[in-house]
Amino acid sequence: MTSEAFSRPALDRRRFLGAALAAGVVLVAESTPVTAHAAAGDVTLSAGGISLLASAGGRLAIRDDRGVTRSAGSKFQVKDSVTGIHVSTGGTPTLSALGDGTPAIRMDYTFDAAAGSTAVTGWFSVTTSHAVLEWHVTGADTLVPDGFLFSRAIQAPTAPDDYIPITEWVRDTGGGIPYETTLGVAHTSTWSTALHGLFLLDRSRQAWTNATWVHAPGLAEAAGGWTSRADFFFSETRPSATATIGRGRELGLELTTNRDFNLYESAGEQMELTALVANGGAAKTAELELWMRDFDGDLLAATTTTGSVPAAATWQHTFTLTAPAGGIALAEVVVRSGDDEAFARTNLAVLPSYDYQAGTDSMFAVANYPWLQRPSADAVLDLWQKVGISLVRISYDGGPGLPPSVFDARGMRHNIELQPSLDVTDTEAATWAADKLAVAVAAGADYFEVGNELNRPFNTGDAAQAYLDKALRPVFDRRAATGDTVKLMNNGLAGMDKPWVENFIAAGGWDLIDAFAYHPGRGNFTPDYIPPGDDWTTGGDGTYWNFHGGLRQLKALMAEHGEKEIWLTEAYAPTKPNSWWHDTYRHAAENVLLTLALAKAEGIRGVCWYQFHDSVLGMPQVADPDNVEYHYGLMNRDLSPKPSLLAYATAARTLDQATFRGRLTFPDPQTFGLWFDTPDGPAVVLWNRADGYLLNTAGQRTDWHFPAPEVWTDPWPTKTPLVVAATTAVRQVDAIGQVTQIPVTGGGATLTLDGAPRIYYGLAPHADAAGHHSLPTPA
């Protein structure tokens, strides 16, 4: 993987919502009077639908309109990079007022002496069904504002709290496709009534939040110190609408469908696309416009409807649509009222069930545990198996995601990867090896991948010896002592690092592994690109980050030093929006198919796709357009399919029981083909490189910004005809599984090739006496 500095153009005017939150400006359409009371050490603030009760010791209770306590907390936690974690030991509430005269509770927290000069003051106020909670923190420069948390315990909930990012779609002012950005994060709670509550923060990590603590990072103040802020709302609508109503004047929009993952089983099914419009201001009339296009840009639906949105309320409308014959449907809904406009996008797709037969011979895998289990773990695993995933790279008891027993119950294989440190003593290395080998064995892992991307600095070979001494050899020796049979892989290298592998072999590492693992990172090169020479640069736009060239390097080394199973333990096609180094959504689908076809042709044992959902661990579904790590998924943030998901399924279904027969040669040196035998007859993958191997070269590029075309835009200008012999119908399957029948006349069919790989059935490839594979032409 690579990193880069990439600052996007400023977002549009809707950015003010986040600014309003930071500035403490929260708007509601219908306000009610605030009353305040202080007696016997308690302070109470009340407004319509909500009240706060602050008590000695730092206790703060949030109560509903019936006076029932729904949340109670009493502590604030800070982190100091030198002295560690400090938790408040008490607090004294007083009735006070904000700078504008609004009644407020002031809470002065106490800390023990170890906290040094740390001081925390809470300021709490209310408006209708809404509480504003702020903590002002001062202290040493060594305080870590990202480590601030406040305590709360939800009283008598009927379900566990949830973590719901609030997003909006924006159009890139630099041109290109729209994308999502995050407006905040909601920690939601539910009770037995229709009422539910949520703490809304500008930023908060799920991984640092639990039943007791909420992660509330501090923002630096110009006058010094930091402020953490959370808004609490009582509401009866969805979190996205609550956020729009509670803190903004503009319209908000959220899309949902009547199927998990927006996936339908067959053409003609009724698809329901529901738009939830939220209004944070006065009552208004709004227009709702829908369009839906297929992968080729054909308009599948277009309609407009008008409705009324009450003040501080919602309007819901469901569009009834028909599932297309195949492939993907790309939908956008826009809501407008006067000068105000919001929009949202999602994808819907048809993906029939499929009965895979390869079993343990399948190479189709996923690189990370299913830590995002929405709408449920079973639903996610059902989808994994539907698209052909047969193995997960990492699973062990106590680890992230699901335990091995869940995969065992489904007949899915599982490996393990655990990360060592190379900066340890020999004794520490031996202890780690013993402990982690035991974890791998207990997990029932088939393979233990000893570490991840420990080959930095890339393409130098410098880290190979330390890796052998401190990680792999201790595990190998421990396995020899215990007699365990789990197979060993080297750490999955970032890129095919030839100098590292050469040093690894020279130091005796080749005999310690049963399989070789690496991550074929790829920039804006097609998967079949082989850079010239061996001097591949490793910078943010270096040719080192290629797929097929690195694989060929590895195979050449194996021809000299001995064959090993090859595992691509992270393969990917990231779709960071409007970035020339990364794939567009259309290129990603094409590249998923070609990557997997080439891997099958090269005899790769396992391809672990990284990763299943757009998101990062610890902050799931928090939209982050500038973070490339967020954009590696086969699925979008909203759990809808990318075209890449259909491409993965297309490859898995085509290659499930396929046997590679050979590469096809043609008179045109820019035409390429792979020949597989399958139960359905020969499957031939064809493409043409008349337009070259570099992607995203058209248009005006500024720094990393590239105005990416919409997914239905054909990026390949050159169309190359190929006339081949055929006696029966020829079936063409594109990257996302769309089928086209190619007419056969006069004993031949004319195929139109370009840079997108396509699969063809009904052709008759053959091998000549010299071993060359080709497609016959009509007699």
Side-chain angles (χ1 to χ4, degrees):
M1 300 178 194
T2 59
S3 61
E4 70 274 2
F6 179 7
S7 297
R8 294 185 177 277
L11 302 180
D12 66 21
R13 61 193 177 89
R14 297 178 63 83
R15 169 71 81 172
F16 95 93
L17 288 171
L21 179 66
V25 180
V26 179
L27 305 166
V28 291
E30 300 291 338
S31 60
T32 55
V34 177
T35 59
H37 179 72
D42 292 345
V43 181
T44 303
L45 289 181
S46 300
I50 193 170
S51 64
L52 300 181
L53 172 62
S55 306
R59 184 174 185 270
L60 179 70
I62 302 176
R63 304 183 298 185
D64 64 19
D65 58 351
R66 295 180 298 163
V68 177
T69 297
R70 298 300 189 178
S71 173
S74 61
K75 298 182 184 300
F76 194 84
Q77 177 177 301
V78 299
K79 181 179 180 180
D80 189 293
S81 62
V82 175
T83 60
I85 301 295
H86 303 286
V87 178
S88 62
T89 57
T92 302
T94 54
L95 180 59
S96 186
L98 303 179
D100 62 0
T102 300
I105 296 171
R106 171 174 174 156
M107 182 75 75
D108 291 295
Y109 292 89
T110 57
F111 288 82
D112 60 24
S117 61
T118 297
V120 177
T121 303
W123 290 91
F124 313 131
S125 59
V126 294
T127 56
T128 305
S129 297
H130 171 215
V132 180
L133 314 176
E134 288 191 349
W135 294 268
H136 299 274
V137 183
T138 58
D141 291 341
T142 50
L143 285 176
V144 180
D146 202 41
F148 296 171
L149 300 94
F150 66 88
S151 73
R152 63 90 176 86
I154 301 302
Q155 306 298 295
T158 54
D161 275 14
D162 206 351
Y163 175 90
I164 308 291
I166 309 300
T167 68
E168 71 167 351
W169 281 84
V170 296
R171 304 195 192 276
D172 197 321
T173 58
I177 60 171
Y179 54 86
E180 283 185 287
T181 189
T182 292
L183 292 178
V185 171
H187 296 282
T188 66
S189 303
T190 57
W191 299 284
S192 57
T193 64
L195 194 71
H196 62 259
L198 60 85
F199 286 96
L200 182 64
L201 295 91
D202 187 48
R203 187 169 62 89
S204 181
R205 289 181 178 269
Q206 183 188 44
W208 297 354
T209 299
N210 54 39
T212 303
W213 295 100
V214 174
H215 176 228
L219 293 177
E221 297 291 349
W226 303 268
T227 296
S228 291
R229 174 178 173 132
D231 288 86
F232 180 88
F233 296 96
F234 283 122
S235 176
E236 294 184 358
T237 188
R238 292 173 64 89
S240 64
T242 301
T244 297
I245 293 167
R247 70 182 194 189
R249 291 175 175 167
E250 295 194 335
L251 295 170
L253 182 64
E254 182 182 16
L255 301 179
T256 56
T257 73
N258 61 331
R259 289 290 188 277
D260 290 348
F261 311 112
N262 300 2
L263 289 173
Y264 297 81
E265 185 70 21
S266 59
E269 282 190 63
Q270 180 174 297
M271 304 191 301
E272 295 179 0
L273 177 61
T274 298
L276 179 65
V277 178
N279 175 21
K284 60 189 68 175
T285 298
E287 179 184 80
L288 207 56
E289 179 184 3
L290 160 78
W291 58 252
M292 187 169 72
R293 296 182 182 274
D294 67 13
F295 195 64
D296 300 316
D298 293 331
L299 198 62
L300 300 177
T303 187
T304 302
T305 188
T306 302
S308 298
V309 198
T314 62
W315 167 41
Q316 182 170 294
H317 178 80
T318 297
F319 298 96
T320 301
L321 307 163
T322 301
I328 199 162
L330 307 120
E332 178 176 292
V333 177
V334 181
V335 59
R336 300 183 183 90
S337 180
D339 294 334
D340 188 14
E341 176 179 304
F343 76 101
R345 288 188 169 190
T346 195
N347 297 338
L348 305 91
V350 172
L351 185 65
S353 297
Y354 189 84
D355 186 15
Y356 296 93
Q357 298 295 318
T360 58
D361 291 332
S362 174
M363 74 173 189
F364 291 91
V366 70
N368 63 329
Y369 26 74
W371 46 266
L372 181 55
Q373 295 164 26
R374 293 186 185 276
S376 68
D378 280 338
V380 172
L381 293 184
D382 287 346
L383 181 54
W384 277 21
Q385 294 188 294
K386 190 172 189 177
V387 301
I389 293 170
S390 65
L391 176 144
V392 61
R393 178 191 183 200
I394 307 172
S395 178
Y396 58 98
D397 287 327
L402 298 170
S405 59
V406 173
F407 298 107
D408 292 338
R410 285 177 169 263
M412 299 180 72
R413 296 169 294 146
H414 45 88
N415 293 341
I416 194 169
E417 179 273 319
L418 297 168
Q419 184 78 329
S421 171
L422 305 186
D423 186 21
V424 293
T425 66
D426 290 346
T427 299
E428 290 169 332
T431 298
W432 184 90
D435 290 346
K436 301 311 179 187
L437 181 64
V439 171
V441 171
D446 294 327
Y447 294 78
F448 180 7
E449 186 178 351
V450 185
N452 182 72
E453 297 193 354
L454 291 170
N455 57 313
R456 289 175 171 81
F458 305 137
N459 222 25
T460 64
D462 292 350
Q465 188 66 57
Y467 171 73
L468 271 170
D469 294 343
K470 302 298 184 180
L472 183 60
R473 194 178 298 279
V475 173
F476 179 87
D477 291 344
R478 178 64 179 176
R479 186 184 65 167
T482 62
D484 292 315
T485 58
V486 60
K487 295 181 180 180
L488 300 183
M489 295 183 193
N490 59 287
N491 77 100
L493 303 180
M496 217 318 283
D497 194 330
K498 184 180 178 182
W500 189 97
V501 178
E502 289 174 331
N503 287 356
F504 177 75
I505 292 171
W510 204 243
D511 294 334
L512 307 186
I513 58 173
D514 302 291
F516 184 87
Y518 84 103
H519 304 163
R522 180 179 54 76
N524 68 321
F525 315 119
T526 61
D528 55 320
Y529 178 57
I530 300 177
D534 282 336
D535 188 19
W536 297 345
T537 57
T538 58
D541 59 352
T543 52
Y544 174 86
W545 305 107
N546 73 84
F547 179 79
H548 205 203
L551 184 53
R552 286 295 181 88
Q553 276 190 345
L554 176 60
K555 305 259 314 208
L557 288 168
M558 286 189 175
E560 181 179 354
H561 299 284
E563 300 293 325
K564 300 284 184 183
E565 286 184 8
I566 299 174
W567 284 73
L568 308 181
T569 53
E570 289 184 15
Y572 31 75
T575 55
K576 182 177 177 181
N578 304 321
S579 167
W580 65 262
W581 181 245
H582 303 99
D583 287 351
T584 66
Y585 287 108
R586 190 177 191 93
H587 280 320
E590 297 167 353
N591 292 336
V592 168
L593 175 60
L594 187 54
T595 294
L596 293 168
L598 288 169
K600 186 71 173 182
E602 294 285 359
I604 302 305
R605 180 64 185 91
V607 181
C608 301
W609 205 264
Y610 185 85
Q611 60 183 336
F612 196 66
H613 287 103
D614 273 2
S615 273
V616 295
L617 182 64
M619 298 183 70
Q621 296 185 278
V622 176
D624 192 349
D626 290 337
N627 180 5
V628 65
E629 190 73 15
Y630 166 88
H631 296 283
Y632 282 90
L634 294 171
M635 305 286 287
N636 290 309
R637 185 210 65 84
D638 72 344
L639 311 184
S640 69
K642 291 183 183 178
S644 296
L645 180 83
L646 301 188
Y648 188 99
T650 298
R653 295 171 184 205
T654 302
L655 304 174
D656 180 47
Q657 298 180 78
T659 301
F660 180 60
R661 291 293 303 277
R663 294 177 180 275
L664 300 174
T665 58
F666 302 89
D668 179 359
Q670 293 178 321
T671 296
F672 300 91
L674 304 172
W675 169 15
F676 299 94
D677 276 344
T678 78
D680 294 328
V684 175
V685 182
L686 299 174
W687 68 98
N688 181 276
R689 286 288 171 244
D691 294 319
Y693 296 84
L694 300 185
L695 306 175
N696 307 331
T697 58
Q700 183 62 44
R701 300 193 321 201
T702 305
D703 191 24
W704 287 96
H705 188 269
F706 163 71
E710 293 283 9
V711 66
W712 54 80
T713 302
D714 182 354
W716 304 106
T718 305
K719 308 301 178 184
T720 302
L722 176 67
V723 181
V724 295
T727 57
T728 59
V730 175
R731 181 163 53 101
Q732 172 189 287
V733 182
D734 72 2
I736 65 167
Q738 296 183 126
V739 177
T740 303
Q741 300 295 331
I742 307 296
V744 175
T745 58
T750 300
L751 315 180
T752 301
L753 305 184
D754 57 23
R758 296 177 180 86
I759 305 159
Y760 295 90
Y761 295 91
L763 305 181
H766 69 269
D768 62 20
H772 298 120
H773 304 86
S774 62
L775 290 174
T777 56

